[in-house]
Amino acid sequence: MTVVAAERELETVVAGRVHVADGVVALTLRSPTGHELPSWEPGAHIDLILQGGLARQYSLCGDPADRRAWRVAVLREPDGRGGSRYVHDELSGGVRIRGPRNHFPLLPAERYAFVAGGIGITPILPMVARAEADGVPWRLLYGGRTRSSMAFLGELAQYGDKVLVAPQDETGLLDLASWLPAPEEGTRVYCCGPEPLLAAVEDRCAQWAAGALQTERFTARAVASPVLAEGFEVVLSASGQTVTVPPGRSILEVVEAAGVPVLSSCQEGTCGTCETAVLEGVPDHRDSVLSGEERAAGDVMMICVSRSCTDRIVLDL
């Protein structure tokens, strides 16, 4: 059963800033009091709570054993909603953090095949370090537009030919057919990057064993029309209220309008902040976070985008 973890917020300070590739800045975050930061495992991410309460999610890409510092890397996105520009141009001093949370954990395997595209290297970086430390065989295919746009190449150089660096302007599109030629028993594939890469890797792994492929998305995947075109009833078990969610409005919007506080961040189904336990009913999962197994279990849902397959659903809110 999936457990909905409690969120925590804390104050940190930007203790270091370094450009690690064209358009990518890495921030070192520390406690302002010098205390240890919460523990985390490879695949975890945090929210940076920026000006006006704006929250943006970034993968932790440092060393989990270093409890004195966290590291995140932020790609400047000129056409984004402003969060990355603020981090690059204005963020300094203190910054409030929410998390960490992890919907992309490194699960046990006999071997790993990692695929990263662009800034998607950030959650993969501590994964390869963990696999190396544990003595588990692994390989990494890392693509980007150009070599200069690809972060952390210097750190990855220590692993030698376990890492295949493939800038598009030098080698073309990633050769996934050679990297993932056929299902490999005991191998887990981890992929993070832009949507076309994720879709291509999912296609390559369609015949692999269930759960062999693990992905993390920075943008929401395309979804079909809702199972229920009409509205549905949501029972809020903890608060004793019942609300109706009409077409065109999310569960999150309706619940907040009813005065029930819910933690949320991306409102696109990609960060996992609004994960909510389902007590009765069948969710219509429309997020980009949960695995196939978690969706089938039906015991949690992301209420910012997901809906209901049943006329009535009971949530632990």
Side-chain angles (χ1 to χ4, degrees):
M1 180 175 182
T2 305
V3 177
V4 181
E7 292 281 346
R8 52 191 155 187
E9 293 189 6
L10 68 154
E11 296 292 341
T12 66
V13 294
V14 178
R17 171 189 293 267
V18 59
H19 287 273
V20 291
D22 292 345
V24 181
V25 64
L27 304 180
T28 299
L29 306 173
R30 298 185 184 275
S31 165
T33 61
H35 288 92
E36 289 189 341
L37 296 169
S39 62
W40 61 280
E41 289 294 313
H45 67 266
I46 59 173
D47 294 350
L48 298 188
I49 304 174
L50 307 175
Q51 57 181 353
L54 181 74
R56 291 292 180 265
Q57 298 78 44
Y58 300 105
S59 296
L60 290 168
C61 59
D63 179 3
D66 183 2
R67 296 286 301 278
R68 297 287 180 180
W70 284 343
R71 184 176 67 173
V72 296
V74 181
L75 171 67
R76 178 188 286 274
E77 299 181 85
D79 299 324
R81 294 175 292 172
S84 68
R85 293 194 300 274
Y86 179 79
V87 170
H88 273 253
D89 299 338
E90 300 182 47
L91 181 62
S92 62
V95 58
R96 193 160 184 80
I97 300 298
R98 184 184 298 135
R101 74 183 71 88
N102 197 343
H103 287 281
F104 192 44
L106 186 66
L107 302 174
E110 295 177 18
R111 69 193 69 84
Y112 298 103
F114 298 107
V115 183
I119 199 64
I121 191 61
T122 51
I124 301 295
L125 201 62
M127 291 185 178
V128 301
R130 175 64 57 82
E132 181 75 7
D134 290 347
V136 181
W138 63 273
R139 63 186 191 269
L140 165 63
L141 176 62
Y142 179 19
R145 298 186 315 278
T146 64
R147 194 174 294 269
S148 64
S149 72
M150 299 170 67
F152 303 117
L153 291 181
E155 291 185 25
L156 291 168
Q158 65 182 302
Y159 301 119
D161 60 7
K162 292 182 180 181
V163 179
L164 176 56
V165 176
Q168 186 174 347
D169 66 338
E170 297 177 20
T171 64
L173 296 176
L174 295 182
D175 186 0
L176 296 177
S178 296
W179 196 252
L180 303 168
E184 299 175 10
E185 185 177 351
T187 297
R188 286 192 188 274
V189 180
Y190 277 79
C191 180
C192 185
E195 184 60 30
L197 173 62
L198 290 164
V201 171
E202 287 174 336
D203 184 62
R204 290 298 312 173
C205 293
Q207 304 305 316
W208 288 52
L213 172 62
Q214 305 291 318
T215 61
E216 182 167 70
R217 283 174 158 81
F218 295 140
T219 58
R221 74 169 88 203
V223 293
S225 299
V227 172
L228 290 182
E230 62 275 16
F232 54 92
E233 191 175 78
V234 178
V235 178
L236 310 178
S237 177
S239 61
Q241 298 187 59
T242 298
V243 296
T244 298
V245 179
R249 296 194 73 193
S250 69
I251 297 176
L252 176 65
E253 290 174 324
V254 173
V255 168
E256 288 182 330
V260 178
V262 181
L263 280 176
S264 66
S265 183
C266 72
Q267 300 189 20
E268 296 178 342
T270 59
C271 74
T273 306
C274 67
E275 182 176 343
T276 301
V278 178
L279 305 180
E280 295 179 33
V282 180
D284 177 9
H285 295 294
R286 305 173 64 76
D287 64 274
S288 302
V289 176
L290 297 176
S291 67
E293 293 83 355
E294 290 169 328
R295 290 175 177 230
D299 54 9
V300 297
M301 66 188 299
M302 306 302 161
I303 62 173
C304 66
V305 292
S306 296
R307 300 182 70 78
S308 180
C309 294
T310 48
D311 293 333
R312 176 177 179 272
I313 193 166
V314 181
L315 304 180
D316 186 17
L317 288 174

